[in-house]
Amino acid sequence: MTAPVADRSNALHAGAWWLWALGLAAAASRTTNPLLLALLVAVSGYVVAVRRTAAPWARSYGAFLKLGLAVLAIRLVFTVLLGSSVPGTHVLFTLPEIPLPYWAQGIRLGGPVSAEGVAFALRQALRLATLLVCIGAANALANPARLLKSLPAALYEVGVAVVVAMTSAPTLVADMARLRSARRLRGRKDKGPAALVRVAIPVLEGALERSVALAASMDARGYGRTAAVPAAVRRTTAVLTLGGLLGVCVGSYGLLTTVGGAFGLPLLLAGLAAALGGLYLGGRRSVRTRYRPDRWGARAWAVSLSGVAVAAVTVWAAGAYPQAMNPPAVPLTAPELPLLPAAGVLLGLLPALVAPVPARPAARPQKEVQ
């Protein structure tokens, strides 16, 4: 299957990117092996590098990487200052311990810092950072406007709010980079608290102007107007939706416990059916139509199923190889890379082969110098 150049007719469904990224995120949630987590980050980063477009939201991947690094740094600082619950024998260094009152028992400031505690904290933080990076990959690859078109009609208002939030964050990052570059070209400082304040004011002003323009355009297009629906249908929709969501929550809890396995799956399926029925009835209030709806083709199936396959292999490996997937902090040992789960993670590279290649902007011809 050769990947064509992306255009409006063959653009990949935005939901496929989110299913792929959520599959990688689910895989990251099942392991604390730093080698597998680093492999997940590398897979998502490579796919983003070869398949993201030049749109503003596609530039947000770097911000999620920086957020993941911030999570690692914050968790390391808290572990060093407040200690860790993991007992360790390999003491790296000892900080001066600050005595606390009796009502703060169980909390420690300073004291010995062990290698086992640091390793445990870094593995847990790396898992959270990998989750953020996977979500950032979906945010950089999926077109939020096209994703909004594919939502059920009952979720249209909620989807608009989420899409506006997802679009505003990358735009703010791009505006910040543009203004810092402009300051550098003028010979002014672009780092430090003073420069940040001078850059933040025009960024917030531009965001406010875009918000007002967006509100005016939405009002002109009739946003928020609904069709007349009988009261009985509205009440049935509310009962089905709320009851379905409650059934999903209780069924999921039953599947996670040892005593609720008998009723967990039937209740989960019944809740899903009721929630889908409520969404279907709720869509009758929407008066909008879809222009050129995105199609879920073979490439979308391949991309989404690759993420599902990564999650399935990792979930299975978490039960088959518990020591390799979640290496213990005590005793302190170097993590090993399990080959079968690693091969399953590499299935996440499939979108780099089958997803349409984004069209690159043509380079401007250079003028000849006389």
Side-chain angles (χ1 to χ4, degrees):
M1 183 182 294
T2 304
V5 178
D7 55 23
R8 180 176 290 275
S9 62
N10 63 2
L12 192 69
H13 199 286
W17 285 123
W18 274 99
L19 288 178
W20 168 79
L22 291 177
L24 297 186
S29 66
R30 302 298 296 180
T31 179
T32 56
N33 190 318
L35 299 180
L36 286 177
L37 293 175
L39 187 60
L40 284 168
V41 173
V43 167
S44 64
Y46 178 77
V47 174
V48 169
V50 299
R51 287 299 182 267
R52 69 175 173 179
T53 63
W57 60 81
R59 307 171 189 172
S60 61
Y61 186 71
F64 280 91
L65 286 176
K66 294 177 182 179
L67 182 60
L69 294 176
V71 168
L72 290 173
I74 293 174
R75 181 62 187 272
L76 180 60
V77 169
F78 273 85
T79 301
V80 171
L81 295 180
L82 303 179
S84 176
S85 59
V86 177
T89 57
H90 299 79
V91 179
L92 298 177
F93 52 89
T94 302
L95 296 176
E97 188 170 354
I98 301 176
L100 298 176
Y102 70 94
W103 50 264
Q105 294 181 1
I107 303 176
R108 177 171 63 86
L109 291 178
V113 179
S114 63
E116 291 84 354
V118 171
F120 176 79
L122 288 179
R123 290 173 184 176
Q124 297 293 328
L126 183 59
R127 177 165 62 179
L128 177 57
T130 306
L131 288 171
L132 293 174
V133 170
C134 293
I135 299 302
N139 195 27
L141 292 170
N143 188 332
R146 300 180 74 92
L147 181 63
L148 177 62
K149 292 172 58 178
S150 305
L151 286 178
L155 301 178
Y156 179 68
E157 287 79 6
V158 178
V160 168
V162 174
V163 167
V164 170
M166 291 171 55
T167 308
S168 300
T171 304
L172 292 178
V173 174
D175 289 348
M176 184 74 71
R178 177 175 53 83
L179 291 173
R180 291 181 61 184
S181 178
R183 290 183 63 86
R184 286 195 300 269
L185 292 176
R186 293 183 175 91
R188 301 175 182 176
K189 295 182 179 180
D190 63 325
K191 297 181 181 180
L196 181 61
V197 172
R198 291 185 176 89
V199 170
I201 292 176
V203 168
L204 294 178
E205 182 181 359
L208 181 60
E209 292 178 355
R210 285 192 299 269
S211 300
V212 174
L214 177 62
S217 64
M218 291 172 66
D219 182 68
R221 289 170 172 81
Y223 174 77
R225 300 174 186 175
T226 58
V229 178
V233 176
R234 293 199 302 268
R235 287 192 291 268
T236 305
T237 301
V239 171
L240 287 177
T241 304
L242 295 179
L245 294 178
L246 182 61
V248 169
C249 294
V250 176
S252 301
Y253 176 79
L255 290 177
L256 295 175
T257 59
T258 56
V259 297
F263 66 86
L265 183 59
L267 194 56
L268 177 62
L269 295 178
L272 286 174
L276 292 177
L279 292 178
Y280 174 76
L281 292 178
R284 298 176 60 180
R285 299 177 64 247
S286 178
V287 294
R288 69 187 184 96
T289 58
R290 288 187 177 93
Y291 178 67
R292 291 182 180 178
D294 292 338
R295 297 180 180 179
W296 191 281
R299 299 183 188 277
W301 279 112
V303 170
S304 58
L305 289 179
S306 66
V308 174
V310 172
V313 171
T314 310
V315 170
W316 170 81
Y321 309 101
Q323 295 293 327
M325 298 295 292
N326 297 283
V330 180
L332 186 63
T333 56
E336 299 180 357
L337 181 63
L339 296 181
L340 188 57
V345 171
L346 293 178
L347 294 175
L349 292 173
L350 185 61
L353 302 176
V354 302
V357 181
R360 304 298 179 184
R364 295 181 179 178
Q366 297 181 356
K367 296 182 179 180
E368 296 183 0
V369 180
Q370 300 294 334

